[in-house]
Amino acid sequence: MPLAETEQFGVLEYEDDAELLFPRGLPGFEQAHRFVLIKQPDLTPLVQLQSLDSPSLCFLSMPVHAIDSDYQSSILPEDSELVGLGPDDGASTVVLALLSVTDQGHLSANLLAPIVINLTRHLAVQAVRIDTAYSHEHLLLAERGPSC
């Protein structure tokens, strides 16, 4: 099994077929093309997207439908072609939202540019939507008022 040095997990052992290829990299991280998904049962539905090219690059993510059960995917034809998705490939597709902390310290999800993964071909792309149906800072935890 291949090994990868990571900042967060130390030496990571992974299956050959677990590697995902981002042909264009990710916006802002174009040099990072190879990633693996790390699932930890006690953190479900959170998933970590660990770069195999850069030990310090790891993104926290979760399935878009865990955030918004009515989420409507929209992927440009060129993105579908890049990862080899056809109209009937829904069962072999995973769509993740990258998570981040806003300037105000809130946890948010990027539903505007989800990660679309073709599990059959091990190809992925960050598919930036051309509409404004979703935000790049969809708040996950709303502020709570004082409790009784």
Side-chain angles (χ1 to χ4, degrees):
M1 276 198 256
L3 300 173
E5 184 66 38
T6 70
E7 194 171 278
Q8 186 170 343
F9 302 102
V11 176
L12 178 67
E13 185 176 12
Y14 62 95
E15 299 288 336
D16 285 323
D17 63 353
E19 186 174 318
L20 300 173
L21 176 67
F22 284 73
R24 291 191 297 232
L26 291 169
F29 304 95
E30 288 80 7
Q31 77 291 352
H33 294 272
R34 301 176 316 119
F35 288 83
V36 292
L37 292 176
I38 300 172
K39 299 176 184 176
Q40 297 177 352
D42 55 327
L43 295 178
T44 300
L46 297 176
V47 178
Q48 288 153 312
L49 187 61
Q50 173 65 53
S51 171
L52 298 174
D53 298 317
S54 177
S56 64
L57 189 59
C58 185
F59 297 99
L60 191 58
S61 65
M62 66 189 318
V64 294
H65 287 101
I67 298 165
D68 180 348
S69 60
D70 295 323
Y71 185 85
Q72 297 296 311
S73 293
S74 175
I75 183 169
L76 295 172
E78 55 266 26
D79 288 338
S80 288
E81 186 176 322
L82 182 69
V83 296
L85 287 175
D88 298 326
D89 288 330
S92 64
T93 305
V94 171
V95 183
L96 301 173
L98 296 181
L99 306 182
S100 62
V101 178
T102 68
D103 292 340
Q104 295 78 32
H106 301 289
L107 186 61
S108 71
N110 184 348
L111 296 178
L112 184 64
I115 303 295
V116 178
I117 302 169
N118 180 335
L119 294 173
T120 304
R121 296 189 180 196
H122 306 280
L123 294 170
V125 65
Q126 186 167 17
V128 180
R129 299 174 65 105
I130 59 171
D131 61 24
T132 56
Y134 298 97
S135 170
H136 70 287
E137 284 188 339
H138 177 87
L139 292 181
L140 294 182
L141 301 173
E143 286 189 53
R144 297 176 189 228
S147 58
C148 300

